[in-house]
Amino acid sequence: MSPRATIVGFWAACTARQRAGIAAGIVLAAGAALYLLLWEPGLAAQRSLSAALPRLRAQLQDMRWQREELAALRNTVRASTPPGDLAAILRASAAQAPFAPAVERIEGLPGGKARMQAGALPFDAWLAWIGNLQRELGIRVDACRISALDQPGMVRLEASFAAGGAR
């Protein structure tokens, strides 16, 4: 006998009062299931989102402020690149660097660019120097070829530079 036939047989054997009681129980169980499976999780999600919304709005406002600050700083860096011969600026900066004796040649290139060639110099000092060039003068490395030397931490390099606004 199939489950459907069993249920139909049971239902037919019940009196009208029993059927009404069973139907009410089914409706009550369905209502409880709907509340527990749909309504309550929705209310809990609404409460948690309502609590998180002010924090998220504050984060959005902070991100917008940071975006505006970044745009202002980019404009400042572009404006801070000193006018003049890029090669001369690099020579002056490299003369103050700890690896100054290793610099073999700095020459100007067309388009406001410059090229530098250096012998054995510490890689960490090179990275710090180009970081300062970027941050303080808006001069960036356009291309660079670095060759490791036998001595750990020492490199030989050839790099070309461009002012911050040039591409």
Side-chain angles (χ1 to χ4, degrees), residues 38-59:
L38 296 176
W39 194 263
E40 180 59 29
L43 290 176
Q46 180 187 17
R47 283 190 296 270
S48 69
L49 290 174
S50 293
L53 190 60
R55 179 181 47 83
L56 293 173
R57 284 187 177 148
Q59 286 177 348

Side-chain angles (χ1 to χ4, degrees), residues 42-92:
L43 290 176
Q46 180 187 17
R47 283 190 296 270
S48 69
L49 290 174
S50 293
L53 190 60
R55 179 181 47 83
L56 293 173
R57 284 187 177 148
Q59 286 177 348
L60 176 63
Q61 185 65 27
D62 187 47
M63 284 187 244
R64 286 180 177 156
W65 177 82
Q66 288 176 0
R67 181 189 64 200
E68 292 169 4
E69 184 72 15
L70 181 62
L73 287 173
R74 282 184 178 153
N75 290 336
T76 302
V77 166
R78 284 188 192 113
S80 71
T81 302
D85 184 19
L86 185 59
I89 296 167
L90 288 174
R91 279 188 209 98

Side-chain angles (χ1 to χ4, degrees), residues 16-164:
R17 185 178 176 122
Q18 290 173 333
R19 288 181 189 162
I22 292 171
I26 290 173
V27 168
L28 188 64
L34 283 174
Y35 177 79
L36 292 174
L37 296 175
L38 296 176
W39 194 263
E40 180 59 29
L43 290 176
Q46 180 187 17
R47 283 190 296 270
S48 69
L49 290 174
S50 293
L53 190 60
R55 179 181 47 83
L56 293 173
R57 284 187 177 148
Q59 286 177 348
L60 176 63
Q61 185 65 27
D62 187 47
M63 284 187 244
R64 286 180 177 156
W65 177 82
Q66 288 176 0
R67 181 189 64 200
E68 292 169 4
E69 184 72 15
L70 181 62
L73 287 173
R74 282 184 178 153
N75 290 336
T76 302
V77 166
R78 284 188 192 113
S80 71
T81 302
D85 184 19
L86 185 59
I89 296 167
L90 288 174
R91 279 188 209 98
S93 179
Q96 298 172 0
F99 57 82
V103 175
E104 295 172 357
R105 183 176 67 214
I106 297 178
E107 60 187 10
L109 298 174
K113 296 185 178 189
R115 183 178 337 175
M116 173 182 160
Q117 188 173 353
L121 59 87
F123 186 66
D124 291 339
W126 160 254
L127 286 180
W129 182 67
I130 61 173
N132 285 336
L133 284 177
Q134 175 83 34
R135 188 173 42 258
E136 295 173 6
L137 300 174
I139 298 172
R140 62 179 175 78
V141 176
D142 201 27
C144 186
R145 186 176 65 206
I146 300 173
S147 304
L149 299 177
D150 292 335
Q151 186 180 358
M154 300 299 282
V155 296
R156 178 174 180 76
L157 59 91
E158 185 176 322
S160 62
F161 296 86

